[in-house]
Amino acid sequence: MPDPRFFSRSGPFALRTLAERLGARIVLGASSDPAAIDRLILDVAPLDRAGPDEITFLDNPKYKAALAATKAGAAIVRPSHADAASPATVLLLCEDPYRAYALCARLFYPMIAATTGISPASHIHPDAAIAPGAQIAPGAVIERGARIGRDVRVDANAVIGAHVVIGEGCWIGACASLSHCLIGDRVMIYPGARIGQDGFGFAMSAAGHLRVPQLGRVIIEDDVEVGANAAIDRGSGPDTVIGRGAMIDNLVQIGHNVIIGPGCVIVAQVGLSGSVVLGRGVVLAGQVGVAGHLRIGDGARIAAQSGVMRDVGAGEEVFGTPAQPKRQYFQQIAMLARWMKARHGQGDDERGK
Amino acid sequence: MPDPRFFSRSGPFALRTLAERLGARIVLGASSDPAAIDRLILDVAPLDRAGPDEITFLDNPKYKAALAATKAGAAIVRPSHADAASPATVLLLCEDPYRAYALCARLFYPMIAATTGISPASHIHPDAAIAPGAQIAPGAVIERGARIGRDVRVDANAVIGAHVVIGEGCWIGACASLSHCLIGDRVMIYPGARIGQDGFGFAMSAAGHLRVPQLGRVIIEDDVEVGANAAIDRGSGPDTVIGRGAMIDNLVQIGHNVIIGPGCVIVAQVGLSGSVVLGRGVVLAGQVGVAGHLRIGDGARIAAQSGVMRDVGAGEEVFGTPAQPKRQYFQQIAMLARWMKARHGQGDDERGK
Amino acid sequence: MPDPRFFSRSGPFALRTLAERLGARIVLGASSDPAAIDRLILDVAPLDRAGPDEITFLDNPKYKAALAATKAGAAIVRPSHADAASPATVLLLCEDPYRAYALCARLFYPMIAATTGISPASHIHPDAAIAPGAQIAPGAVIERGARIGRDVRVDANAVIGAHVVIGEGCWIGACASLSHCLIGDRVMIYPGARIGQDGFGFAMSAAGHLRVPQLGRVIIEDDVEVGANAAIDRGSGPDTVIGRGAMIDNLVQIGHNVIIGPGCVIVAQVGLSGSVVLGRGVVLAGQVGVAGHLRIGDGARIAAQSGVMRDVGAGEEVFGTPAQPKRQYFQQIAMLARWMKARHGQGDDERGK
């Protein structure tokens, strides 16, 4: 059970209610009581630790044995895995059990916990507009002209700059700072993220580099997440745009004028240079770097630590620095390993250790 | 036009005034009214969007056609590009149009916007010294003995540690923290930057690593920029020094005792280990790493993601991990690609995609 | 001498006292006054700058000549280096002079400087528990139910989230934020570090990624350091655990469910994906990345910028992306260089520069 000091649980929920909310079909096991459909479920838990008042799930088939042995009162599974369950377990059948589990866990543990409204120790400019239901923690600063939407939570010591607009149901983590940006609904900005500062734009010269005013904004669409201590610079004239539902992990760097398509997944410590354009659903693994002005097509996947120095087509998978087709990169590595072995002999691997 | 919620424009300026400030020569087009020299210019804008009250510029020759077509009242161009302009456009001729544009944009959009002086919601130690013209935002903390120069702006929730000295005309972004450092004039510290904390110095031992007090400082010379969420550790005994006019991007790591020469450009997510010394005008592209105690000569250029494991001479260009001369690195990549092709055949590139 | 504005020195200490505290044996030089054993030492200093009232040390034998020439009143050295010293220098003999120097420097410059107790400008929830001796700076926020141990120092604008527990003698740097975590004794959290936020966990889908509540915590054991602007995500259900005495540098990313063994050293900008397990005393050099769910054995060493894509055995040294045995990696690089030379000739190195 999650540490109750840190997580306050909602519920309980009847199994029937959960099934409705998840869009799942209930199947009673051969030995389950028909009244089980109205059983109250108290919590979520993993297969091997769930008890009769808890609901669990099976996504990865390699845990089928754990499904058979689980003591959970109910389990969310794919129809094709139903026969692996114990007859004592009530099943909630659906095609994407992990997603259904996520929905279920969010019912028990809402993403944005309630605090205590607007703290008198926050600093809210009289010209800022705060919608009903907003929660503003101690030390948070809301500057002149900022507009905070309904049910937004701004955590301690966060800073919302002048005229920033934040939609509904957003969470702004502790010590984050936002300026020159427009934020959609249900956006989550993690602690320490920096959004809207000047991009890295200056006229270089031996006499001294001269900063060029950066006159664009950052536009963050609905349902985006921006990780802890990530940095997103505002545009230089055009805007920097983060498309709907993009997931951005911790310590990511996004340069000015970057356009990120909807549903992209950008893992920790990635760096995108200025004016990069990502299509829809692009996945960049950890520590990838992309050079300026490149385009990465829809659904492309860039392996960890790759350095992308040319455009990447839709659906392409690339790896390495400079990044090349992933299969080719692995072939090259294998070829080098064979040559090394031919030259230095078999004992090498052992000595190398 | 930049979003007026976020950018407050100065001006207008007569074209004659702008030319004087930029050190440019005014050339009236064949069809322009001689009175145009006194025309009031309201804003800067790109070639394709500027109107008759706006000034634009051409730097990259590939946009010459856009210069011919621009509706801008005036354009900053090199003398050699003057003939590409429409006869209706007034030209401001100079040798470095991008730099002149930067100066011009800074007239319309001053780098440090005025706020409202010293907020009563800031926390200023009675022994701190705040010069006239300084602006201190809500939640900012100025500790004992700190000295803040004339016309410095300290943004919300920034922390200026005990006895830190900040020169004139600096900007300290929201949530940044400074300690054990001396800062020159016109320095810009972006939000969330960390300056002056202990370096990563300890006596390693199986019995437990023991931290060694770090007794140096960080010295930041005039006109330096330090990006959002960057970290600069103080020296271990000697100082860490950032030379005049160096530009440091977001999320850069600078270890203790590093010396950075004047005018260096350090792109996002670079990491410099302890005691690295950079000469003048060194350029480190994104995500470069440099091992401890190395020297990088004046004007050297390190390509993105390179891992530098030996000294780099003045003017050298290197790439790769370990970094080697750039041309050699590309030759090596080309050689491997040819061998792969010879071995796996032509179809490979396509299959690899 | 360290800048007295930033460093307040304790002492003086009699040489005899220092020797006792360091567990060192005092050896008077042939020409030193026997009363020197009671001489008062005022400060630590490097070999080449120390004076007669200061103590210095020699660790690296390449500075033996500096030991012979030092004007220091006393020097901490290995017994085997004793004969290199001037007869005027009092020696403190021990087997690990750098560690002894660290202890000595910590006597003169305690790690956590005293400030002025609990600032009235801090925001402490009435249900938080603050032990005696704690120092809470202006703008720091201590949320509901948090417990702050004896002699803890929380710097300006740091945020200690609800129900967080912090042990004794810890330091929480400016603008750091902690949530959902339990912190041991003598832990140092540097400015801007982010601890305890949600990990990067969501159900991916073309219809929109759905965040999964992260129901674990971060457990930080005694004597750990976490660098400036580093990020440690809480577990997804299990906890993220940082073992006793681990040293984590700036801008490091640690994903959910990671387990770090005691005494690990993790250099700046390293990224550990979710569920990675490090054994005891693992060393990860700068900018290393480790893919999810891998295990790195006790005492393994990963060279800078490596990308680890498989488990690494105890004591292994690896390098490259994908990481391979270090010796093999260097052989491969040497082989490629020979082939390049054979193909492109000797002049290449010079032209490449």
Side-chain angles (χ1 to χ4, degrees), chain B residues 1-130:
Chain B
M1 175 181 111
D3 187 330
R5 288 174 294 184
F6 296 124
F7 301 96
S8 40
R9 202 170 56 196
S10 297
F13 299 99
L15 207 41
R16 182 199 300 269
T17 309
L18 290 177
E20 278 167 24
R21 299 285 189 92
L22 311 186
R25 189 159 56 87
I26 298 189
V27 176
L28 296 179
S31 67
S32 49
D33 179 355
I37 196 172
D38 289 314
R39 167 183 251 158
L40 288 179
I41 298 293
L42 301 183
D43 206 347
V44 292
L47 282 166
D48 57 342
R49 286 194 283 145
D53 298 325
E54 293 172 329
I55 187 166
T56 189
F57 76 105
L58 174 72
D59 186 48
N60 186 334
K62 80 174 179 181
Y63 299 116
K64 265 186 170 181
L67 174 61
T70 190
K71 297 192 168 59
I76 307 167
V77 301
R78 262 182 212 94
S80 59
H81 292 153
D83 55 358
S86 140
T89 311
V90 179
L91 300 181
L92 272 65
L93 300 184
C94 60
E95 290 304 328
D96 188 347
Y98 188 51
R99 187 179 183 83
Y101 165 74
L103 280 170
C104 188
R106 290 164 67 113
L107 289 174
F108 285 103
Y109 299 96
M111 291 308 295
I112 302 183
T115 59
T116 49
I118 294 177
S119 166
S122 62
H123 310 297
I124 301 178
H125 193 281
D127 293 345
I130 314 288

Side-chain angles (χ1 to χ4, degrees), chain C residues 36-123:
Chain C
I37 196 172
D38 289 314
R39 167 182 252 160
L40 288 179
I41 298 293
L42 301 183
D43 206 346
V44 291
L47 282 165
D48 58 342
R49 286 194 284 145
D53 298 327
E54 292 172 330
I55 187 166
T56 189
F57 76 106
L58 173 73
D59 187 46
N60 187 335
K62 78 175 181 183
Y63 299 116
K64 264 185 168 183
L67 174 62
T70 189
K71 298 192 168 56
I76 307 167
V77 301
R78 264 184 211 92
S80 58
H81 293 153
D83 54 359
S86 140
T89 311
V90 179
L91 300 181
L92 272 63
L93 300 184
C94 60
E95 290 303 329
D96 187 346
Y98 187 51
R99 187 180 183 82
Y101 166 75
L103 279 169
C104 187
R106 290 163 68 112
L107 289 174
F108 285 103
Y109 298 96
M111 293 307 297
I112 303 184
T115 59
T116 50
I118 295 178
S119 166
S122 62
H123 310 297

Side-chain angles (χ1 to χ4, degrees), chain B residues 208-209 211 253 321 328 331, chain C residues 99 225 263 305 329 348-349:
Chain B
H209 313 311
R211 169 156 284 283
Q253 154 68 4
T321 301
Q328 186 175 305
Q331 283 174 340
Chain C
R99 187 180 183 82
E225 295 197 7
Q305 291 192 332
Y329 184 73
D348 208 50
D349 266 315

Side-chain angles (χ1 to χ4, degrees), chain A residues 330-350:
Chain A
F330 278 117
Q331 283 175 339
Q332 190 172 299
I333 285 166
M335 182 182 76
L336 282 170
R338 277 194 305 273
W339 287 343
M340 287 294 296
K341 199 164 166 179
R343 194 173 191 94
H344 292 276
Q346 280 233 338
D348 209 51
D349 266 315
E350 288 144 43

Side-chain angles (χ1 to χ4, degrees), chain A residues 123 125 139-141 143-144 156-159 161-165 175-177 179-182 192-194 197-205 207-217 228-238 251-254 269-273 287-290 305-310 315-317 320-322 324-329 331-333 335-336 338-339, chain B residues 1-7 43-44 49 96 98-107 109-111 114-116 121-123 137-140 153 155-158 171 174-176 188 190-194 223 225 228-229 245-251 262-269 280-281 283 287 301 304-306 319-320 326 329-330 333 336-337 339-340 343-344 347-353:
Chain A
H123 310 296
H125 193 283
V141 176
E143 299 185 347
R144 181 168 44 89
N157 288 347
V159 176
H163 300 288
V164 164
V165 176
C175 305
S177 59
S179 75
H180 305 84
C181 62
L182 307 178
R194 308 291 158 210
Q197 55 282 342
D198 282 45
F200 201 54
F202 44 88
M204 281 180 74
S205 136
H209 313 311
L210 187 66
R211 171 158 282 284
V212 179
Q214 304 283 300
L215 302 172
R217 304 165 299 181
N229 283 347
I232 304 180
D233 289 345
R234 71 174 183 260
S236 63
L251 292 163
V252 165
Q253 153 68 3
I254 297 183
Q269 296 174 319
V270 164
L272 301 183
S273 305
Q287 299 181 331
V288 160
V290 181
Q305 291 192 328
S306 297
V308 180
M309 297 176 66
R310 61 161 180 86
E316 252 194 284
E317 294 194 47
T321 300
Q324 51 181 304
K326 191 169 177 178
R327 188 156 162 277
Q328 187 175 305
Y329 183 74
Q331 283 175 339
Q332 190 172 299
I333 285 166
M335 182 182 76
L336 282 170
R338 277 194 305 273
W339 287 343
Chain B
M1 175 181 111
D3 187 330
R5 288 174 294 184
F6 296 124
F7 301 96
D43 206 347
V44 292
R49 286 194 283 145
D96 188 347
Y98 188 51
R99 187 179 183 83
Y101 165 74
L103 280 170
C104 188
R106 290 164 67 113
L107 289 174
Y109 299 96
M111 291 308 295
T115 59
T116 49
S122 62
H123 310 297
R153 175 173 154 187
D155 274 3
N157 289 345
W171 172 66
C175 305
M188 298 181 72
Y190 282 73
R194 308 291 158 211
D223 299 301
E225 296 197 6
N229 284 345
M247 306 298 269
I248 297 173
D249 201 355
N250 300 341
L251 293 162
C264 288
V265 173
I266 301 182
V267 179
Q269 296 173 321
R280 297 178 154 267
V283 177
Q287 299 180 333
R301 302 174 75 92
Q305 291 192 331
S306 297
F319 194 3
K326 192 169 177 178
Y329 184 73
F330 279 117
I333 284 166
L336 282 170
W339 286 343
M340 288 295 295
R343 193 172 191 95
H344 292 277
D348 209 51
D349 267 314
E350 289 145 42
R351 285 202 314 273
K353 283 192 182 184

Side-chain angles (χ1 to χ4, degrees), chain A residues 7-321:
Chain A
F7 301 96
S8 41
R9 201 170 56 194
S10 297
F13 299 98
L15 207 41
R16 184 199 301 269
T17 308
L18 290 176
E20 279 167 23
R21 298 285 189 91
L22 313 185
R25 190 159 54 89
I26 298 189
V27 174
L28 297 179
S31 68
S32 48
D33 178 356
I37 195 170
D38 289 313
R39 167 182 252 159
L40 287 180
I41 298 293
L42 301 183
D43 206 346
V44 292
L47 282 166
D48 58 342
R49 286 195 283 144
D53 298 325
E54 293 172 330
I55 187 167
T56 190
F57 76 105
L58 174 73
D59 187 47
N60 186 334
K62 79 175 179 182
Y63 299 116
K64 265 186 170 181
L67 174 61
T70 190
K71 296 191 170 56
I76 307 167
V77 301
R78 262 181 213 96
S80 59
H81 294 153
D83 54 359
S86 139
T89 312
V90 180
L91 299 181
L92 272 64
L93 301 183
C94 60
E95 289 304 328
D96 188 346
Y98 187 51
R99 186 178 185 83
Y101 165 75
L103 280 169
C104 188
R106 291 164 68 113
L107 289 173
F108 286 102
Y109 298 96
M111 293 307 296
I112 304 183
T115 60
T116 50
I118 295 178
S119 166
S122 63
H123 310 296
I124 302 179
H125 193 283
D127 293 346
I130 314 289
Q135 312 186 64
I136 316 282
V141 176
I142 315 289
E143 299 185 347
R144 181 168 44 89
R147 304 176 65 86
I148 309 293
R150 198 175 276 267
D151 299 327
V152 166
R153 175 173 152 186
V154 179
D155 274 3
N157 288 347
V159 176
I160 311 300
H163 300 288
V164 164
V165 176
I166 298 181
E168 303 192 353
C170 294
W171 173 64
I172 311 297
C175 305
S177 59
L178 282 66
S179 75
H180 305 84
C181 62
L182 307 178
I183 308 285
D185 295 338
R186 298 172 305 278
V187 169
M188 298 181 73
I189 307 292
Y190 282 74
R194 308 291 158 210
I195 296 178
Q197 55 282 342
D198 282 45
F200 201 54
F202 44 88
M204 281 180 74
S205 136
H209 313 311
L210 187 66
R211 171 158 282 284
V212 179
Q214 304 283 300
L215 302 172
R217 304 165 299 181
V218 175
I219 309 296
I220 296 190
E221 297 181 357
D222 296 345
D223 299 301
V224 165
E225 295 197 7
V226 178
N229 283 347
I232 304 180
D233 289 345
R234 71 174 183 260
S236 63
D239 295 318
T240 301
V241 181
I242 313 296
R244 186 182 192 112
M247 306 299 270
I248 298 173
D249 202 355
N250 299 341
L251 292 163
V252 165
Q253 153 68 3
I254 297 183
H256 54 189
N257 309 339
V258 166
I259 308 280
I260 291 183
C264 288
V265 173
I266 302 182
V267 179
Q269 296 174 319
V270 164
L272 301 183
S273 305
S275 303
V276 164
V277 177
L278 305 189
R280 298 179 153 264
V282 171
V283 177
L284 306 181
Q287 299 181 331
V288 160
V290 181
H293 296 269
L294 297 182
R295 304 182 79 91
I296 314 280
D298 294 353
R301 301 175 76 91
I302 318 292
Q305 291 192 328
S306 297
V308 180
M309 297 176 66
R310 61 161 180 86
D311 289 351
V312 175
E316 252 194 284
E317 294 194 47
V318 301
F319 195 2
T321 300

